[in-house]
Amino acid sequence: QKEVEQNSGPLSVPEGAIASLNCTYSDRVSQSFFWYRQYSGKSPELIMSIYSNGDKEDGRFTAQLNKASQYVSLLIRDSQPSDSATYLCAVNSVGSGNTGKLIFGQGTTLQVKP
Amino acid sequence: DAGITQSPRHKVTETGTPVTLRCHQTENHRYMYWYRQDPGHGLRLIHYSYGVKDTDKGEVSDGYSVSRSKTEDFLLTLESATSSQTSVYFCATRGGLAQYFGPGTRLTVL
């Protein structure tokens, strides 16, 4: 069974620090990787997508992909209390053809302390 | 924001009653998905649709059915609700390679 693994946390960082969130996946041929942010009681919101090995930066967020090691990470620079949320890693389900099905990790809860 | 709405946003029902949840999108996206989210289980796919009248099962489809008669609407039906179906239900659409989520429906089955 294809899996996406995340440490559930909570990951606690002080305001202004770098938060590092990690995700590993089991399907070696996965091609599309996503990070979603979910505030308590709200729906998941897409914040980053990455498809190629290396880094992709968007503002304070950097997604890193290493297909050889089968992990994807999300770095949040200058963490703010408003970044406190659960971060979900999602990977495309290759065996499903072109259905766009994603496999989600259970999420890592981030707490940014003022 | 993919322009997705869900109705109702909250519902309390009794065991054995039928329940229908509605997802409406304004983006003309072909693919739509229904998930449930429970503590300890994360997001799990119930059913998905790849076009009008084209649907398929996800990993937790037992006890659920879906219909899609128009591109913009995707309905999820619990034929006879059970307490194990108490959950938060999210609809999503596919734009490009990513999925975009609606606001969710909190369903309680007593």
Side-chain angles (χ1 to χ4, degrees):
Chain A
Q1 181 174 346
K2 306 297 188 288
E3 293 183 342
V4 176
E5 300 286 343
Q6 297 180 256
N7 188 321
S8 61
L11 173 65
S12 183
V13 301
E15 183 174 357
I18 297 175
S20 178
L21 306 163
N22 299 312
C23 170
T24 59
Y25 59 94
S26 62
D27 192 340
R28 185 172 296 277
V29 298
S30 292
Q31 296 294 322
S32 305
F33 307 86
F34 308 93
W35 283 100
Y36 289 82
R37 178 177 62 200
Q38 187 174 24
Y39 292 115
S40 180
K42 301 295 185 182
S43 60
E45 172 192 11
L46 179 69
I47 54 172
M48 290 288 286
S49 59
I50 188 166
Y51 309 110
S52 304
N53 275 332
D55 295 359
K56 178 182 179 182
E57 185 174 320
D58 184 1
R60 295 187 296 113
F61 298 100
T62 298
Q64 300 176 317
L65 176 60
N66 184 323
K67 290 185 179 180
S69 300
Q70 295 177 237
Y71 84 79
V72 57
S73 61
L74 179 70
L75 301 179
I76 307 175
R77 290 181 301 280
D78 188 23
S79 294
Q80 300 297 309
S82 59
D83 294 326
S84 298
T86 297
Y87 290 80
L88 305 175
C89 173
V91 177
N92 73 303
S93 176
V94 176
S96 62
N98 191 32
T99 62
K101 287 164 63 175
L102 298 178
I103 303 170
F104 286 84
Q106 292 200 23
T108 298
T109 299
L110 174 65
Q111 297 175 346
V112 181
K113 298 187 179 300
Chain B
D1 189 349
I4 305 170
T5 57
Q6 293 184 232
S7 59
R9 295 292 313 280
H10 302 272
K11 186 170 183 65
V12 179
T13 191
E14 294 188 351
T15 298
T17 60
V19 176
T20 295
L21 308 182
R22 179 178 183 246
C23 177
H24 179 79
Q25 57 124 342
T26 59
E27 300 296 314
N28 201 35
H29 287 164
R30 178 183 173 191
Y31 289 89
M32 299 184 73
Y33 310 85
W34 276 108
Y35 292 90
R36 61 178 291 175
Q37 188 175 40
D38 306 286
H41 291 279
L43 280 164
R44 292 182 291 175
L45 182 65
I46 304 171
H47 281 281
Y48 66 99
S49 170
Y50 47 97
V52 173
K53 300 190 187 303
D54 292 323
T55 65
D56 205 348
K57 297 179 180 180
E59 64 177 303
V60 290
S61 59
D62 287 349
Y64 302 95
S65 62
V66 290
S67 64
R68 193 166 178 203
S69 59
K70 298 185 290 185
T71 297
E72 56 266 36
D73 290 328
F74 192 30
L75 304 181
L76 176 71
T77 298
L78 290 66
E79 301 290 348
S80 178
T82 68
S83 59
S84 64
Q85 293 176 313
T86 292
S87 187
V88 179
Y89 291 86
F90 290 106
C91 172
T93 70
R94 179 185 174 190
L97 296 178
Q99 291 184 18
Y100 300 89
F101 287 82
T105 295
R106 184 173 295 276
L107 176 68
T108 302
V109 183
L110 301 176

